[in-house]
Amino acid sequence: MRGEIAETRREQIIAAARSLYEEKGIDRTSVKDIADRAGITRSLFYHYFSSRDEVTDAILDAYVDTFVAAVREWNAQRVRGDVAGALKTCVAMLRRHLFDEDSFRTDLLKSQNALLYQRFSQQTAHTLAEYLTRTTVTEYARYHRVEIRHPYEEFYLLIIGLMSYMRTHPDASDELVADLITDTLHLDLGSQQD
């Protein structure tokens, strides 16, 4: 019961911070603002979080979790052997999650939040690269020759690169993005090898 109350309080603080970041921006939100919005004292805030940055990290974790959940859903819906179709739906999923409009993600792209965006990118790349290496690469290897020697590292670099490229080139065609993925991972788009 006590653990549930603590978790509820943490979530309440995170929700307050997230809504304030949406309204005011990250750098214009103070610990006092967050505590006031959550209906708690500053000292109680510090009981749950050591700083505003720690709350921000919890918000980033939630964004990464959402991105990973989308990749898991994409992975579960892939049709075995349809690498080209999987690429197409993968690019669409990436666009949705990179370009979802909310103030927090927009705020992450501001120069004063560069380190925060870098942490978000690295955490996303690490988590997704581990997941894809453990699942998608393993399944792909059952039917195709894996042409990359370091799957985790290749996926990590690809994810970081795609996030950066797609943000700076939002008009890049889906076909170009799919080609970049195909070329980087040396994917076999031919028919399934049974």
Side-chain angles (χ1 to χ4, degrees):
M1 178 74 162
R2 189 175 181 147
E4 290 175 23
I5 293 170
E7 187 57 33
T8 300
R9 180 72 67 181
R10 281 181 58 83
E11 292 302 320
Q12 180 182 9
I13 294 168
I14 291 167
R18 192 172 184 165
S19 71
L20 283 164
Y21 290 173
E22 289 284 326
E23 293 169 21
K24 299 172 65 168
I26 297 168
D27 38 317
R28 290 191 310 266
T29 301
S30 69
V31 169
K32 180 183 180 333
D33 295 333
I34 297 168
D36 289 348
R37 176 68 58 94
I40 61 172
T41 63
R42 283 179 55 185
S43 61
L44 190 55
F45 171 92
Y46 286 115
H47 176 75
Y48 292 98
F49 294 96
S50 63
S51 66
R52 183 190 71 171
D53 289 344
E54 194 175 314
V55 175
T56 305
D57 286 344
I59 294 169
L60 287 178
D61 290 344
Y63 275 107
V64 171
D65 290 347
T66 299
F67 208 149
V68 170
V71 172
R72 283 188 174 135
E73 183 178 325
W74 162 81
N75 197 31
Q77 294 176 357
R78 285 183 305 109
V79 175
R80 189 181 86 189
D82 184 9
V83 179
L87 267 173
K88 184 177 180 177
T89 57
C90 177
V91 171
M93 180 266 309
L94 284 172
R95 280 199 192 281
R96 259 191 326 276
H97 285 277
L98 287 176
F99 297 106
D100 271 354
E101 291 298 322
D102 69 30
S103 302
F104 181 74
R105 287 188 200 195
T106 303
D107 220 21
L108 277 178
L109 298 175
K110 292 180 181 172
S111 60
Q112 65 267 31
N113 295 322
L115 287 176
L116 192 59
Y117 183 73
Q118 183 179 16
R119 281 199 329 248
F120 168 72
S121 298
Q122 290 169 342
Q123 188 175 345
T124 301
H126 167 71
T127 305
L128 290 178
E130 275 191 338
Y131 172 74
L132 291 168
T133 300
R134 196 175 59 251
T135 59
T136 313
V137 172
T138 302
E139 183 178 335
Y140 178 88
R142 288 185 198 141
Y143 306 101
H144 306 274
R145 182 168 177 231
V146 175
E147 299 285 337
I148 54 177
R149 292 183 300 160
H150 308 285
Y152 167 83
E153 291 79 3
E154 291 276 349
F155 271 99
Y156 185 97
L157 291 171
L158 177 63
I159 292 162
I160 290 281
L162 281 175
M163 288 172 68
S164 177
Y165 182 78
M166 290 175 76
R167 286 222 182 257
T168 58
H169 298 83
D171 296 329
S173 71
D174 288 359
E175 293 76 20
L176 173 61
V177 174
D179 284 348
L180 294 172
I181 295 169
T182 301
D183 292 349
T184 301
L185 298 176
H186 306 285
L187 296 177
D188 176 5
L189 299 181
S191 63
Q192 173 181 331
Q193 310 289 319
D194 280 325

